[in-house]
Amino acid sequence: MSGLKLHHVVFFVSLALLASSIPSRAEPFEKWTVHIVNGLGGGRTLFAHCKSKDNDIGLRNLTAGTEFNWSFKNNFGGTTLFYCYLRTDHKQYASFDVFWIEKHDDWLGLRCHNKDCIWTAKNDGVYIRNLSTKQDEFIHPWGTHW
Ligand SMILES: *[C@@H]1O[C@H](CO)[C@@H](O)[C@H](O)[C@H]1NC(C)=O
Ligand SMILES: *[C@@H]1O[C@H](CO)[C@@H](O)[C@H](O)[C@H]1NC(C)=O
Ligand SMILES: *[C@@H]1O[C@H](CO)[C@@H](O)[C@H](O)[C@H]1NC(C)=O
């Protein structure tokens, strides 16, 4: 303890304060859950294929009003990246990242809050939920294939 100088203590306390002031940025080693929700109206089916470099979540047909989710720990090195291809039964599709490690901003952290990222497919496109307000924010419009 005698070797522990005041400036060391100040440094570690500052680090701790800094760490606790960062909301919930997607950092390595944390457990996160990604949800894909079929919020299309009218009994429509949503097709989803989500994967990362090492992990294929599989092909899914989601009936109206249902969701699926998967959990994972961010890998060492902070390179975890999941992306999804979604397609509606009206020939619309969207292909986008659903989870990534945030090194410089807090886009997911501000929305996914309790480490749940909730992506919902609706008639006009794909939304992400802000878990503070419980409101869905429009992010990706559908593209058309054919
Ligand atoms: C999903 O539905 C499509 C269209 O009906 C079908 O071609 C496909 O085989 C289904 N995929 C799975 C994984 O159930
Ligand atoms: C997440 O998926 C599990 C099955 O893997 C399911 O039991 C659970 O209800 C899902 N969570 C939500 C919020 O739907
Ligand atoms: C989410 O909602 C909270 C609470 O209203 C708000 O402070 C925050 O800015 C919202 N996040 C985004 C990314 O809009």
Side-chain angles (χ1 to χ4, degrees), residues 1-84:
M1 205 52 192
S2 62
L4 200 58
K5 300 272 172 26
L6 179 62
H7 67 269
H8 291 139
V9 174
V10 169
F11 177 71
F12 286 121
V13 168
S14 312
L15 263 191
L17 286 176
L18 183 65
S20 63
S21 69
I22 295 172
S24 52
R25 181 174 298 176
E27 291 173 334
F29 300 124
E30 295 171 333
K31 186 186 172 211
W32 286 73
T33 302
V34 173
H35 304 253
I36 305 295
V37 183
N38 179 354
L40 300 168
R44 297 171 57 195
T45 298
L46 178 74
F47 172 82
H49 187 190
C50 298
K51 57 197 289 199
S52 68
K53 191 159 62 76
D54 315 313
N55 199 347
D56 193 330
I57 306 301
L59 311 176
R60 311 272 182 144
N61 283 319
L62 274 182
T63 56
T66 64
E67 76 141 72
F68 76 99
N69 64 76
W70 70 97
S71 299
F72 53 92
K73 281 228 169 87
N74 295 337
N75 62 15
F76 181 72
T79 58
T80 305
L81 171 71
F82 279 97
Y83 48 94
C84 292

Side-chain angles (χ1 to χ4, degrees), residues 88-100:
T88 76
D89 50 3
H90 287 183
K91 299 181 176 177
Q92 302 151 307
Y93 78 97
S95 202
F96 55 97
D97 294 344
V98 293
F99 181 85
W100 57 92

Side-chain angles (χ1 to χ4, degrees), residues 32-36 98-99 108 112 115-119 128 131:
W32 286 73
T33 302
V34 173
H35 304 253
I36 305 295
V98 293
F99 181 85
L108 283 179
C112 304
K115 313 196 190 319
D116 281 301
C117 295
I118 305 178
W119 294 94
I128 190 169
L131 285 177

